[in-house]
Amino acid sequence: MGYEEGLEAYRSQLLQSLSSPPSRSVSSMSDPIQVYVNERRVGELEGAGMDARLHVQSLDHIETIQLRTEEGTLLGGLVAPEFGYRTSRIQLSSDVIELCVHNIAQGGSLSAVLVPAPSFWSRMGKILGDVTDKLAIRRPDTALAYSMRTVAFTQVLLAIMVVGLIYDRMATWMNPEGEPSFIGQPVALRTVSMTEMDKLEQQLGDLARMQQKVGETLESQQKGIAQLHQTMAQLSSSHESVASSVVMVKEEMEKRQEGPQTDRSTQRPVSDFVQKEQLEAAIKNLTVDNARLSNELARLEEHNQTLSAKLQTASVNASKAVDQNPERLLASQPDMESKNQSVQVVKSLQSPQTQPFLFWVTFSEGTSQESIDQWVHEKKGHKGVINEGWQEVRIVPPAVPPDLFLEQIRGEKIVKAARIRE
Amino acid sequence: MQNTVGKSQVMADHTVTVSRLEEVVSTSDEFDRVVSQALPVLLDRATGYTKRFLRETGQWNDDIEHEKFALRWGSEYLERFLVCGRSEVPCRPLFLFDSLVAKQHSKPEPFCYHPDLLRPLGRFLDGLVARAVVSRDALIALYRHSYGWGAGEVIAVTGLNGLESQRIYKNFRRWRESGWQRTMDEIGLTKTELAELTSQQQRHRQRFNGEAERLIRVAQAHYRKSEPDHYPCLSRAQWREMFTQGYGCDYRIWHLALCLDCMQAAWGLGSSGSLTEEKPRLELLVRP
Ligand SMILES: [Zn+2]
């Protein structure tokens, strides 16, 4: 095959697979769905007909979200907005995955919910829809954002404990007479006999059943967390409707004080009345939700403390070990050595404003070192490392949003390009 | 198509398609409709951008390997655009597409480029490891292709438990049934090239595996960045702890598949420290 033909054949093949994207095959319906944030795998949603959810908190801005099967098929995705919320509902045969992504100045969060039944979806969708529609221009209460982190943190601890439990149980089950356990059995890989293989398979089957039991326990725990999430979603929705009602009422009152109603219709008092009623109802909802939430939080807090205590005693290294992933999504501290970081991480997140603002910049061709230094000095900044021509610069956080700030920088003569991430 | 009338007709169609892509689409369905009619145009556009990027970064050469490389990434971007763009409505598809591609190229090292990875063996390895990043089936298959192991051996080496084990068997089955072929199609390895790889290996086993080991390290180092939040390499003591305590299941599966050094460091821990066998060396399997 010649150069041209070979290339053309390849091109046609690619086009063909693009035009008939393989859907989620029936056989893989029960398999977990892989979730990627910024093209990095962050976790998975159990696909076996139950409702599953994943909450991801990231210190970096979330740019893209992708859902894939175990085969790698791209099922759906979302491009996150620079700031604020975006939701997307992705239909996978009978299941629906609801994505809600939220970017703020200090990072982003994603919540992915797999909803098997439409009835449940409609409830969830309404809640999420309400939140998104109303909150699109507003950042949620910071306290709420922190409590979200607490929840994510608690989930990490729960996961650690459950993994510990599974292991303990298994060790006990597998090892009733103190014999070496299955996992620990010395097996020369290439010389496993057929009988051993059969035994192995049987053991695998047993193990799977036991795991299922543990899985059920885990599921019920997850449901608790799920309820809390839902409560919080409702709470922020109520928060918002109260806020908007207050604004409307205020406006109304101001207008009335300004002068006689010239162009208002006579229906106004009626709508005022309705609004007032709505407002009262919303406030009532809010109070109830608030109380429920603080109860939940108090309970979780307590649970948290017990768990941390257990963790500490159980193993010094437990916290560093269990899938670094969720912890590191909470904070970008890449070194393995920072043990016990989970607790510090949550704390350190509480004062993000005091951290310097960091960005990367390249300069126009022929810019002298002198003028670069001069420029950095004007910005009251400090130079950091240089990586592949990109100069790291730290400054006091700018008054304008990061993107606007970058735009401004890019407009400057000596600057060739600027970006936030390395 | 060779005559002038045909060519000018193609040009005219092209112009119509492009101008339609520049208009606003307001629903996801409309997006699908407009975009699916313009796949060739969009593929060529993304490929063109990728070629330009490679040229500008001094990574281009006028040969079929580079052309294929640009095509492969162009198609990769287009696939993401097809799926993610739907959520961006209302939008002008062409501008959205351009900005998505530009965003990809503004990342540091948007793809794994190495001249040796453009030859058939390198393409095979690069394609395999790249696929492992997005497909769990391919990730597990990496153990098979790198060391020749079957599902049982993968389970023993990584020290997995019941449920995870069942998944490994599934991963293996799907990879054999369709995953491998799909990946080969994706990287554009022809039957002839695959046969040539196999015969090279038969003729010069040691040299072939040595070269494969060198190349897979390049690919692994690049694609490990996509591991779940970048699991770092660990010492043998740290691996031992993870195996004996039974945590970090994902960590083990992901990192050991994508790191030859850690594979050797953690060797024997999963099957309870049996060190009777030598540490695993790369023994490439071309077919699943
Ligand atoms: Zn490693």
Side-chain angles (χ1 to χ4, degrees):
Chain A
M1 218 181 325
Y3 182 111
E4 292 282 330
E5 292 93 51
L7 203 59
E8 188 47 44
Y10 183 37
R11 181 173 172 273
S12 320
Q13 194 169 47
L14 290 174
L15 277 173
Q16 201 190 342
S17 65
L18 282 167
S19 56
S20 53
S23 56
R24 193 179 174 214
S25 62
V26 182
S27 64
S28 66
M29 291 277 277
S30 59
D31 291 324
I33 290 161
Q34 317 284 316
V35 182
Y36 290 77
V37 167
N38 298 349
E39 282 157 35
R40 176 177 286 178
R41 187 179 165 277
V42 295
E44 55 194 32
L45 288 167
E46 283 296 333
M50 55 179 124
D51 84 273
R53 59 186 60 225
L54 180 74
H55 188 79
V56 177
Q57 187 87 37
S58 163
L59 270 199
D60 295 328
H61 258 146
I62 293 180
E63 286 167 10
T64 58
I65 294 149
Q66 290 170 2
L67 304 174
R68 291 180 185 268
T69 61
E70 300 228 319
E71 285 125 302
T73 308
L74 194 53
L75 294 171
L78 179 62
V79 179
E82 297 273 341
F83 285 97
Y85 286 89
R86 172 165 297 161
T87 55
S88 180
R89 185 189 171 208
I90 293 158
Q91 184 86 43
L92 314 169
S93 50
S94 63
D95 300 341
V96 167
I97 291 185
E98 173 68 33
L99 296 175
C100 178
V101 59
H102 180 206
N103 270 328
I104 56 171
Q106 283 89 31
S109 65
L110 161 73
S111 130
V113 186
L114 186 138
V115 193
S119 59
F120 184 73
W121 145 247
S122 61
R123 270 190 295 147
M124 216 33 228
K126 194 181 171 303
I127 292 161
L128 284 167
D130 281 357
V131 175
T132 352
D133 291 343
K134 290 173 182 169
L135 297 194
I137 41 155
R138 197 186 70 107
R139 277 169 54 179
D141 196 30
T142 21
L144 189 69
Y146 292 136
S147 54
M148 289 283 223
R149 287 192 189 106
T150 316
V151 173
F153 172 56
T154 312
Q155 276 179 317
V156 172
L157 285 179
L158 270 177
I160 292 171
M161 287 313 290
V162 171
V163 169
L165 270 177
I166 293 170
Y167 182 74
D168 278 350
R169 291 264 175 102
M170 259 174 33
T172 330
W173 282 331
M174 295 307 304
N175 195 8
E177 281 119 28
E179 285 168 1
S181 66
F182 154 64
I183 297 172
Q185 230 162 46
V187 180
L189 287 178
R190 289 167 203 277
T191 56
V192 185
S193 71
M194 281 317 285
T195 44
E196 274 173 318
M197 279 304 286
D198 286 348
K199 228 161 68 188
L200 198 73
E201 255 177 58
Q202 211 179 337
Q203 282 174 326
L204 287 183
D206 290 348
L207 261 173
R209 277 190 290 281
M210 289 173 200
Q211 275 244 314
Q212 204 164 0
K213 275 188 211 157
V214 182
E216 277 159 17
T217 319
L218 174 61
E219 200 192 323
S220 73
Q221 273 171 325
Q222 273 176 341
K223 270 188 189 143
I225 295 284
Q227 267 169 2
L228 182 64
H229 270 285
Q230 223 173 320
T231 314
M232 287 203 293
Q234 273 166 344
L235 178 65
S236 39
S237 152
S238 317
H239 253 308
E240 180 51 36
S241 44
V242 170
S244 60
S245 307
V246 168
V247 171
M248 272 155 68
V249 170
K250 261 192 192 161
E251 273 174 4
E252 191 58 35
M253 282 164 71
E254 275 163 18
K255 272 173 196 155
R256 280 197 203 170
Q257 279 163 3
E258 270 167 31
Q261 296 171 7
T262 47
D263 53 353
R264 294 285 147 76
S265 74
T266 47
Q267 286 169 348
R268 209 64 220 181
V270 178
S271 87
D272 277 353
F273 180 69
V274 173
Q275 265 182 17
K276 197 176 161 234
E277 246 186 359
Q278 276 173 350
L279 183 61
E280 272 168 6
I283 288 172
K284 207 173 143 200
N285 270 343
L286 183 65
T287 325
V288 174
D289 283 343
N290 234 335
R292 214 161 58 196
L293 183 67
S294 18
N295 278 344
E296 287 277 8
L297 276 179
R299 213 167 51 78
L300 272 174
E301 198 60 47
E302 205 179 307
H303 197 48
N304 233 339
Q305 278 169 7
T306 330
L307 285 176
S308 329
K310 276 188 194 166
L311 261 183
Q312 291 264 338
T313 49
S315 156
V316 187
N317 292 325
S319 67
K320 108 185 149 185
V322 173
D323 298 5
Q324 288 284 302
N325 181 17
E327 291 162 16
R328 293 154 115 266
L329 279 164
L330 283 166
S332 59
Q333 295 178 341
D335 52 327
M336 262 305 275
E337 277 60 46
S338 63
K339 293 181 184 170
N340 258 340
Q341 72 271 60
S342 353
V343 181
Q344 293 151 14
V345 161
V346 172
K347 279 181 191 154
S348 75
L349 275 166
Q350 317 239 341
S351 56
Q353 285 82 0
T354 54
Q355 286 165 5
F357 177 75
L358 193 156
F359 63 96
W360 297 80
V361 63
T362 56
F363 298 95
S364 312
E365 228 100 299
T367 307
S368 69
Q369 195 54 46
E370 231 177 63
S371 33
I372 292 177
D373 290 344
Q374 171 72 22
W375 182 82
V376 174
H377 182 73
E378 279 166 16
K379 293 275 169 276
K380 297 193 179 59
H382 298 280
K383 289 196 295 183
V385 294
I386 297 177
N387 187 4
E388 290 168 324
W390 289 87
Q391 170 72 58
E392 183 192 33
V393 181
R394 288 163 200 278
I395 56 162
V396 178
V400 294
D403 287 307
L404 186 58
F405 172 74
L406 279 191
E407 268 321 304
Q408 290 171 354
I409 297 263
R410 287 185 193 118
E412 291 182 35
K413 205 176 146 200
I414 81 164
V415 174
K416 194 168 148 202
R419 63 188 184 198
I420 293 183
R421 297 176 54 203
E422 191 176 342
Chain B
M1 281 299 188
Q2 290 303 317
N3 60 47
T4 338
V5 181
K7 262 189 182 163
S8 62
Q9 183 59 45
V10 170
M11 291 294 283
D13 287 350
H14 181 272
T15 318
V16 170
T17 314
V18 169
S19 61
R20 180 66 193 93
L21 284 169
E22 284 172 346
E23 287 163 23
V24 176
V25 298
S26 38
T27 65
S28 295
D29 289 340
E30 195 185 350
F31 178 90
D32 290 346
R33 208 168 45 245
V34 170
V35 166
S36 66
Q37 285 163 1
L39 291 179
V41 171
L42 290 170
L43 178 61
D44 294 343
R45 198 173 175 91
T47 308
Y49 285 135
T50 308
K51 271 161 94 165
R52 200 170 74 192
F53 175 85
L54 289 169
R55 264 198 202 103
E56 284 170 358
T57 49
Q59 301 175 319
W60 181 257
N61 220 345
D62 270 320
D63 55 29
I64 187 162
E65 284 80 21
H66 282 79
E67 296 278 359
K68 278 193 170 182
F69 186 79
L71 255 175
R72 178 179 145 210
W73 283 101
S75 127
E76 193 72 44
Y77 298 150
L78 182 50
E79 185 198 18
R80 292 175 202 168
F81 169 72
L82 293 180
V83 170
C84 295
R86 308 183 80 241
S87 64
E88 291 285 292
V89 290
C91 67
R92 293 172 195 273
L94 197 67
F95 300 139
L96 178 65
F97 185 60
D98 287 355
S99 77
L100 282 182
V101 177
K103 236 183 207 170
Q104 291 287 342
H105 287 160
S106 69
K107 289 180 185 168
E109 294 182 60
F111 24 65
C112 184
Y113 178 87
H114 189 288
D116 292 347
L117 290 180
L118 296 176
R119 288 180 292 124
L121 176 59
R123 254 161 68 216
F124 176 78
L125 292 167
D126 176 40
L128 208 61
V129 184
R131 190 72 194 161
V133 169
V134 294
S135 157
R136 205 188 126 103
D137 293 351
L139 182 79
I140 302 302
L142 261 185
Y143 289 105
R144 170 103 191 125
H145 287 284
S146 305
Y147 311 105
W149 296 336
E153 287 164 307
V154 173
I155 291 162
V157 168
T158 50
L160 298 184
N161 56 38
L163 270 189
E164 280 293 339
S165 307
Q166 305 213 324
R167 245 172 113 183
I168 302 281
Y169 283 101
K170 268 191 182 176
N171 293 134
F172 259 83
R173 202 193 56 229
R174 273 193 305 251
W175 180 254
R176 264 197 317 268
E177 283 169 4
S178 61
W180 180 80
Q181 188 55 55
R182 205 168 122 198
T183 306
M184 295 305 111
D185 290 347
E186 222 174 63
I187 48 185
L189 269 181
T190 59
K191 283 197 176 73
T192 332
E193 284 171 319
L194 285 166
E196 174 58 22
L197 280 183
T198 315
S199 90
Q200 265 177 34
Q201 186 174 32
Q202 278 160 1
R203 276 179 286 137
H204 317 280
R205 188 164 204 89
Q206 215 167 2
R207 199 196 322 156
F208 182 86
N209 284 329
E211 176 71 352
E213 179 170 334
R214 183 177 74 84
L215 292 177
I216 206 169
R217 280 179 192 278
V218 178
Q220 284 184 338
H222 177 87
Y223 292 107
R224 260 205 310 278
K225 280 182 273 181
S226 320
E227 278 186 356
D229 216 57
H230 203 169
Y231 292 151
C233 292
L234 300 178
S235 67
R236 181 163 173 89
Q238 287 170 313
W239 282 117
R240 175 180 291 119
E241 198 186 296
M242 193 184 277
F243 274 87
T244 48
Q245 307 275 325
Y247 59 76
C249 195
D250 244 19
Y251 199 147
R252 279 177 269 160
I253 295 178
W254 270 81
H255 192 86
L256 295 180
L258 289 169
C259 185
L260 216 76
D261 291 331
C262 281
M263 186 69 244
Q264 295 187 338
W267 177 241
L269 294 175
S271 46
S272 98
S274 101
L275 283 169
T276 47
E277 284 208 30
E278 270 184 51
K279 288 185 178 178
R281 305 280 311 175
L282 193 88
E283 286 239 8
L284 198 69
L285 265 194
V286 176
R287 293 184 176 273

